[in-house]
Amino acid sequence: MLLQAHTMHTPIGPLALLARDGVVLAGGFTDDLAALVSGRLRATLRDARIEETGSLGPISEALDAYFAGEVGALARIPVAYTGAPFQQRVWEALRAIPPGQPTTYKALALQFGNARLARAVGMGCATNLISPIIPCHRVTHGTGHLAGYAWSLDRKRWLLDHERRHAAR
């Protein structure tokens, strides 16, 4: 199996992506491709052959558009994720959060029918392997404070501010 890898430059540092057939399998703010493979790619794909490329075509174009201010562009990027059924529901819910309109762990838990699921929602965010395309950065603590972003709270803050500035356009 062949995977394509691309590391792009963003205003908040390098963003590495792994894709197959135009679908993103893993992503994160790093330039360490080996770390992305070992920490973000599901185990069944870690032995795949990886080809580094200068672009992932429409995926790269959508991310360029996102960072240029078209914050809805993340929704155009196809992703493939494997996880427990609840994790998958959380990831789908994260993709449905409109840019510029962050929500809370509790609010998402209530969408699933029970406020006590807030910790499980948090775990769903923590196990998201395709940042920022699955936008777990759009979830904040109930007090409004930023919490829990694997790529740093400074990046989470930047992403939220970027989306607020551009979502109204």
Side-chain angles (χ1 to χ4, degrees), residues 2-9 15-24 26 30-31 33 36-37 49-61 63-64:
L2 177 66
L3 304 181
Q4 295 80 37
H6 174 61
T7 301
M8 61 186 299
H9 300 285
L15 175 61
L17 303 160
L18 291 168
R20 182 180 67 210
D21 300 326
V23 177
V24 178
T30 182
D31 59 0
L33 191 55
L36 187 69
V37 169
R49 196 166 54 100
I50 297 175
E51 172 185 82
E52 292 190 51
T53 181
S55 172
L56 293 174
I59 296 167
S60 298
E61 291 166 9
L63 283 159
D64 285 339

Side-chain angles (χ1 to χ4, degrees), residues 10 17 22 26 44 51 85 91 100 111 117 128 136 147 169:
T10 76
L17 303 160
T44 57
E51 172 185 82
W91 299 331
Q111 286 182 23
L117 292 172
N128 169 23
C136 59
R169 292 182 181 181

Side-chain angles (χ1 to χ4, degrees), residues 5 11 17-19 28-29 35-37 45 48 65 70 92 98 116 127 132 134 142 147 156 164:
L17 303 160
L18 291 168
F29 290 99
L36 187 69
V37 169
L45 296 174
E70 187 188 330
E92 290 167 6
R116 290 182 292 181
T127 57
I134 296 178
K156 183 172 184 164
R164 274 191 210 102

Side-chain angles (χ1 to χ4, degrees), residues 108-129:
L108 278 179
L110 288 170
Q111 286 182 23
F112 296 123
N114 188 336
R116 290 182 292 181
L117 292 172
R119 284 184 187 250
V121 167
M123 285 304 298
C125 290
T127 57
N128 169 23
L129 304 179

Side-chain angles (χ1 to χ4, degrees), residues 32-120:
D32 185 349
L33 191 55
L36 187 69
V37 169
S38 66
R40 297 264 152 188
L41 192 62
R42 66 179 190 250
T44 57
L45 296 174
R46 290 186 189 145
D47 291 329
R49 196 166 54 100
I50 297 175
E51 172 185 82
E52 292 190 51
T53 181
S55 172
L56 293 174
I59 296 167
S60 298
E61 291 166 9
L63 283 159
D64 285 339
Y66 172 81
F67 285 106
E70 187 188 330
V71 293
L74 293 181
R76 294 195 307 259
I77 301 172
V79 298
Y81 41 77
T82 301
F86 188 77
Q87 285 174 305
Q88 292 185 33
R89 288 179 60 204
V90 169
W91 299 331
E92 290 167 6
L94 293 173
R95 291 205 84 190
I97 300 168
Q101 299 178 32
T103 191
T104 64
Y105 300 103
K106 183 178 178 181
L108 278 179
L110 288 170
Q111 286 182 23
F112 296 123
N114 188 336
R116 290 182 292 181
L117 292 172
R119 284 184 187 250

